[in-house]
Amino acid sequence: MTDTAVADAAKPPFPEQQQQVPGKTAQMAPVPDHGEESYRGHGRLHGKAAIITGGDSGIGRAVAIAFAREGADVLVSYLCEDEDAAETRKWVEKAGQKCALAAGDISDPEHCREVVKTAVSEFGKVDILVNNAAHQMSFENLEDIPDEEWQQTFATNIHAMFYLAKAALPHMGEGGSIINTASINSDKPNPSLLPYATTKGAIQNFTAGLAQLLADKKVRVNCVAPGPVWTPLIPATMPKDTVAEFGKDYPIGRPAQPAELAPPYVMLASDEASYISGATVAVTGGKPMI
Ligand code: NAD
């Protein structure tokens, strides 16, 4: 298949489908493309060590595959999707790199510190921290959102970024890179994703502030803001009719494949991005983020 054919394989309308949170890659129709057959590395992350939260599936898996093919060892943090994590590990090891797995809930600060400890004991350092995991759920009315849901969304999506960054910093040398996954929702909140969209606004602000705070340590901090991407998060958290038409209302007319998100993460992680910090890279299929 050509690259265009791979991208077009994720074009709405999608078959009717719904999953339980947190979603499984193998149950998706069509199964997403993470660059397994297409991503070619050029040694741009040679010798580096990375932590990727949510690295088992979706965007995180595509980033793990790309990082490994660019020469980085990878720790994959994930909630509980062991099958998906094993699949990501298979691809990282196939690229000739080390892969550590860390299952558990990053809304727990102690677990965040454990994730960093594991990476340091496996790789001896942390060069790249990709804060990519997130929780979302759809609600039509404010009164339908339980307090616990609000708190869980913040604990997973933004508080964990703070705990992970704080724990990783002492192990990051000059040239370190922190990359946070924001969203089109950082700028254009979808009202049916109120808790999630609010955290995505916070993530963009956190990125901009932390970039300034860490500049003198020569650690760069940026975020990638995806538009719609065909990942397990979608059938696990959105209504069936939204899933069927997912991405249709974007100028390109379809969601991204996870593989189409990997290049900005590689660029921001690499030394080539030495003057890029505090930035938001929008990957939004033609919908402007200004
Ligand atoms: P995904 O379902 O593949 O990944 C979500 C990941 O988050 C999973 O790997 C899961 O294990 C992890 N996770 C969730 N709760 C966790 C917890 N409490 N502890 C540890 N890990 C937890 O979906 P994805 O779309 O690839 O999501 C990756 C990032 O992309 C998220 O930050 C998401 O907000 C963002 N994003 C996705 C889209 C989209 O359309 N898919 C759009 C904009 C932004």
PDB file of all heavy atoms in Angstrom, residues 105-124:
ATOM      1  N   ASP A 105      -1.345   3.257  37.171  1.00  0.00           N
ATOM      2  CA  ASP A 105      -2.166   4.468  37.066  1.00  0.00           C
ATOM      3  C   ASP A 105      -1.340   5.731  37.347  1.00  0.00           C
ATOM      4  O   ASP A 105      -0.912   5.962  38.481  1.00  0.00           O
ATOM      5  CB  ASP A 105      -3.313   4.332  38.086  1.00  0.00           C
ATOM      6  CG  ASP A 105      -4.334   5.426  37.944  1.00  0.00           C
ATOM      7  OD1 ASP A 105      -4.066   6.428  37.241  1.00  0.00           O
ATOM      8  OD2 ASP A 105      -5.413   5.287  38.555  1.00  0.00           O
ATOM      9  N   ILE A 106      -1.140   6.546  36.336  1.00  0.00           N
ATOM     10  CA  ILE A 106      -0.308   7.753  36.525  1.00  0.00           C
ATOM     11  C   ILE A 106      -1.042   8.869  37.281  1.00  0.00           C
ATOM     12  O   ILE A 106      -0.438   9.896  37.572  1.00  0.00           O
ATOM     13  CB  ILE A 106       0.249   8.314  35.191  1.00  0.00           C
ATOM     14  CG1 ILE A 106      -0.876   8.652  34.223  1.00  0.00           C
ATOM     15  CG2 ILE A 106       1.272   7.365  34.575  1.00  0.00           C
ATOM     16  CD1 ILE A 106      -0.437   9.509  33.047  1.00  0.00           C
ATOM     17  N   SER A 107      -2.312   8.643  37.632  1.00  0.00           N
ATOM     18  CA  SER A 107      -2.962   9.651  38.484  1.00  0.00           C
ATOM     19  C   SER A 107      -2.419   9.542  39.917  1.00  0.00           C
ATOM     20  O   SER A 107      -2.667  10.416  40.746  1.00  0.00           O
ATOM     21  CB  SER A 107      -4.482   9.512  38.446  1.00  0.00           C
ATOM     22  OG  SER A 107      -4.893   8.331  39.093  1.00  0.00           O
ATOM     23  N   ASP A 108      -1.681   8.469  40.194  1.00  0.00           N
ATOM     24  CA  ASP A 108      -1.036   8.280  41.499  1.00  0.00           C
ATOM     25  C   ASP A 108       0.399   8.826  41.435  1.00  0.00           C
ATOM     26  O   ASP A 108       1.227   8.300  40.683  1.00  0.00           O
ATOM     27  CB  ASP A 108      -1.041   6.770  41.817  1.00  0.00           C
ATOM     28  CG  ASP A 108      -0.239   6.439  43.064  1.00  0.00           C
ATOM     29  OD1 ASP A 108       0.243   7.365  43.748  1.00  0.00           O
ATOM     30  OD2 ASP A 108      -0.078   5.234  43.345  1.00  0.00           O
ATOM     31  N   PRO A 109       0.698   9.871  42.215  1.00  0.00           N
ATOM     32  CA  PRO A 109       2.039  10.482  42.137  1.00  0.00           C
ATOM     33  C   PRO A 109       3.162   9.477  42.409  1.00  0.00           C
ATOM     34  O   PRO A 109       4.226   9.539  41.793  1.00  0.00           O
ATOM     35  CB  PRO A 109       2.029  11.569  43.216  1.00  0.00           C
ATOM     36  CG  PRO A 109       0.663  11.628  43.770  1.00  0.00           C
ATOM     37  CD  PRO A 109      -0.184  10.573  43.151  1.00  0.00           C
ATOM     38  N   GLU A 110       2.895   8.523  43.321  1.00  0.00           N
ATOM     39  CA  GLU A 110       3.931   7.529  43.651  1.00  0.00           C
ATOM     40  C   GLU A 110       4.242   6.666  42.425  1.00  0.00           C
ATOM     41  O   GLU A 110       5.404   6.340  42.149  1.00  0.00           O
ATOM     42  CB  GLU A 110       3.455   6.671  44.835  1.00  0.00           C
ATOM     43  CG  GLU A 110       4.568   6.017  45.613  1.00  0.00           C
ATOM     44  CD  GLU A 110       5.751   6.949  45.887  1.00  0.00           C
ATOM     45  OE1 GLU A 110       5.575   8.027  46.508  1.00  0.00           O
ATOM     46  OE2 GLU A 110       6.862   6.599  45.444  1.00  0.00           O
ATOM     47  N   HIS A 111       3.206   6.315  41.670  1.00  0.00           N
ATOM     48  CA  HIS A 111       3.431   5.523  40.453  1.00  0.00           C
ATOM     49  C   HIS A 111       4.256   6.320  39.436  1.00  0.00           C
ATOM     50  O   HIS A 111       5.139   5.761  38.768  1.00  0.00           O
ATOM     51  CB  HIS A 111       2.106   5.059  39.835  1.00  0.00           C
ATOM     52  CG  HIS A 111       2.317   4.301  38.554  1.00  0.00           C
ATOM     53  ND1 HIS A 111       2.960   3.077  38.505  1.00  0.00           N
ATOM     54  CD2 HIS A 111       2.032   4.617  37.265  1.00  0.00           C
ATOM     55  CE1 HIS A 111       3.038   2.672  37.254  1.00  0.00           C
ATOM     56  NE2 HIS A 111       2.490   3.585  36.474  1.00  0.00           N
ATOM     57  N   CYS A 112       3.996   7.615  39.334  1.00  0.00           N
ATOM     58  CA  CYS A 112       4.782   8.455  38.394  1.00  0.00           C
ATOM     59  C   CYS A 112       6.267   8.388  38.756  1.00  0.00           C
ATOM     60  O   CYS A 112       7.131   8.254  37.883  1.00  0.00           O
ATOM     61  CB  CYS A 112       4.307   9.909  38.432  1.00  0.00           C
ATOM     62  SG  CYS A 112       2.661  10.116  37.738  1.00  0.00           S
ATOM     63  N   ARG A 113       6.545   8.472  40.058  1.00  0.00           N
ATOM     64  CA  ARG A 113       7.954   8.417  40.492  1.00  0.00           C
ATOM     65  C   ARG A 113       8.551   7.037  40.207  1.00  0.00           C
ATOM     66  O   ARG A 113       9.714   6.917  39.840  1.00  0.00           O
ATOM     67  CB  ARG A 113       8.058   8.800  41.978  1.00  0.00           C
ATOM     68  CG  ARG A 113       7.683  10.276  42.214  1.00  0.00           C
ATOM     69  CD  ARG A 113       7.959  10.738  43.630  1.00  0.00           C
ATOM     70  NE  ARG A 113       6.845  10.567  44.532  1.00  0.00           N
ATOM     71  CZ  ARG A 113       5.843  11.450  44.718  1.00  0.00           C
ATOM     72  NH1 ARG A 113       5.819  12.585  44.042  1.00  0.00           N
ATOM     73  NH2 ARG A 113       4.874  11.211  45.572  1.00  0.00           N
ATOM     74  N   GLU A 114       7.732   5.988  40.354  1.00  0.00           N
ATOM     75  CA  GLU A 114       8.186   4.616  40.039  1.00  0.00           C
ATOM     76  C   GLU A 114       8.526   4.475  38.551  1.00  0.00           C
ATOM     77  O   GLU A 114       9.501   3.812  38.188  1.00  0.00           O
ATOM     78  CB  GLU A 114       7.095   3.595  40.397  1.00  0.00           C
ATOM     79  CG  GLU A 114       7.094   3.158  41.841  1.00  0.00           C
ATOM     80  CD  GLU A 114       8.445   2.613  42.315  1.00  0.00           C
ATOM     81  OE1 GLU A 114       9.045   1.795  41.593  1.00  0.00           O
ATOM     82  OE2 GLU A 114       8.904   3.027  43.397  1.00  0.00           O
ATOM     83  N   VAL A 115       7.711   5.089  37.703  1.00  0.00           N
ATOM     84  CA  VAL A 115       7.941   5.021  36.255  1.00  0.00           C
ATOM     85  C   VAL A 115       9.322   5.601  35.933  1.00  0.00           C
ATOM     86  O   VAL A 115      10.113   5.003  35.196  1.00  0.00           O
ATOM     87  CB  VAL A 115       6.827   5.796  35.485  1.00  0.00           C
ATOM     88  CG1 VAL A 115       7.223   6.043  34.033  1.00  0.00           C
ATOM     89  CG2 VAL A 115       5.500   5.032  35.554  1.00  0.00           C
ATOM     90  N   VAL A 116       9.619   6.751  36.523  1.00  0.00           N
ATOM     91  CA  VAL A 116      10.922   7.390  36.268  1.00  0.00           C
ATOM     92  C   VAL A 116      12.052   6.526  36.829  1.00  0.00           C
ATOM     93  O   VAL A 116      13.078   6.314  36.160  1.00  0.00           O
ATOM     94  CB  VAL A 116      10.958   8.824  36.850  1.00  0.00           C
ATOM     95  CG1 VAL A 116      12.359   9.413  36.748  1.00  0.00           C
ATOM     96  CG2 VAL A 116       9.947   9.708  36.121  1.00  0.00           C
ATOM     97  N   LYS A 117      11.837   5.992  38.037  1.00  0.00           N
ATOM     98  CA  LYS A 117      12.860   5.121  38.655  1.00  0.00           C
ATOM     99  C   LYS A 117      13.169   3.930  37.757  1.00  0.00           C
ATOM    100  O   LYS A 117      14.333   3.543  37.582  1.00  0.00           O
ATOM    101  CB  LYS A 117      12.339   4.586  40.006  1.00  0.00           C
ATOM    102  CG  LYS A 117      12.967   5.251  41.208  1.00  0.00           C
ATOM    103  CD  LYS A 117      12.603   4.459  42.471  1.00  0.00           C
ATOM    104  CE  LYS A 117      12.368   5.429  43.604  1.00  0.00           C
ATOM    105  NZ  LYS A 117      11.634   4.844  44.721  1.00  0.00           N
ATOM    106  N   THR A 118      12.124   3.325  37.194  1.00  0.00           N
ATOM    107  CA  THR A 118      12.318   2.170  36.303  1.00  0.00           C
ATOM    108  C   THR A 118      13.137   2.573  35.083  1.00  0.00           C
ATOM    109  O   THR A 118      14.070   1.863  34.686  1.00  0.00           O
ATOM    110  CB  THR A 118      10.948   1.599  35.854  1.00  0.00           C
ATOM    111  OG1 THR A 118      10.194   1.318  37.015  1.00  0.00           O
ATOM    112  CG2 THR A 118      11.108   0.336  35.029  1.00  0.00           C
ATOM    113  N   ALA A 119      12.800   3.713  34.492  1.00  0.00           N
ATOM    114  CA  ALA A 119      13.545   4.161  33.306  1.00  0.00           C
ATOM    115  C   ALA A 119      15.014   4.378  33.657  1.00  0.00           C
ATOM    116  O   ALA A 119      15.914   3.981  32.903  1.00  0.00           O
ATOM    117  CB  ALA A 119      12.934   5.449  32.745  1.00  0.00           C
ATOM    118  N   VAL A 120      15.270   4.983  34.810  1.00  0.00           N
ATOM    119  CA  VAL A 120      16.654   5.266  35.205  1.00  0.00           C
ATOM    120  C   VAL A 120      17.399   3.961  35.484  1.00  0.00           C
ATOM    121  O   VAL A 120      18.566   3.809  35.090  1.00  0.00           O
ATOM    122  CB  VAL A 120      16.698   6.227  36.421  1.00  0.00           C
ATOM    123  CG1 VAL A 120      18.110   6.380  36.959  1.00  0.00           C
ATOM    124  CG2 VAL A 120      16.133   7.595  36.028  1.00  0.00           C
ATOM    125  N   SER A 121      16.713   2.989  36.121  1.00  0.00           N
ATOM    126  CA  SER A 121      17.436   1.735  36.394  1.00  0.00           C
ATOM    127  C   SER A 121      17.667   0.947  35.099  1.00  0.00           C
ATOM    128  O   SER A 121      18.668   0.246  34.965  1.00  0.00           O
ATOM    129  CB  SER A 121      16.746   0.907  37.474  1.00  0.00           C
ATOM    130  OG  SER A 121      15.644   0.246  36.938  1.00  0.00           O
ATOM    131  N   GLU A 122      16.780   1.066  34.113  1.00  0.00           N
ATOM    132  CA  GLU A 122      16.962   0.343  32.838  1.00  0.00           C
ATOM    133  C   GLU A 122      17.959   1.031  31.905  1.00  0.00           C
ATOM    134  O   GLU A 122      18.730   0.390  31.219  1.00  0.00           O
ATOM    135  CB  GLU A 122      15.617   0.238  32.096  1.00  0.00           C
ATOM    136  CG  GLU A 122      14.601  -0.632  32.793  1.00  0.00           C
ATOM    137  CD  GLU A 122      14.852  -2.119  32.594  1.00  0.00           C
ATOM    138  OE1 GLU A 122      15.411  -2.503  31.559  1.00  0.00           O
ATOM    139  OE2 GLU A 122      14.490  -2.886  33.501  1.00  0.00           O
ATOM    140  N   PHE A 123      17.880   2.366  31.848  1.00  0.00           N
ATOM    141  CA  PHE A 123      18.639   3.098  30.821  1.00  0.00           C
ATOM    142  C   PHE A 123      19.735   4.007  31.402  1.00  0.00           C
ATOM    143  O   PHE A 123      20.547   4.565  30.656  1.00  0.00           O
ATOM    144  CB  PHE A 123      17.703   3.976  29.970  1.00  0.00           C
ATOM    145  CG  PHE A 123      16.482   3.259  29.426  1.00  0.00           C
ATOM    146  CD1 PHE A 123      15.242   3.890  29.401  1.00  0.00           C
ATOM    147  CD2 PHE A 123      16.563   1.969  28.915  1.00  0.00           C
ATOM    148  CE1 PHE A 123      14.116   3.250  28.895  1.00  0.00           C
ATOM    149  CE2 PHE A 123      15.441   1.316  28.407  1.00  0.00           C
ATOM    150  CZ  PHE A 123      14.210   1.965  28.409  1.00  0.00           C
ATOM    151  N   GLY A 124      19.687   4.241  32.730  1.00  0.00           N
ATOM    152  CA  GLY A 124      20.698   5.093  33.368  1.00  0.00           C
ATOM    153  C   GLY A 124      20.424   6.577  33.266  1.00  0.00           C
ATOM    154  O   GLY A 124      21.156   7.397  33.850  1.00  0.00           O
TER     155      GLY A 124
END
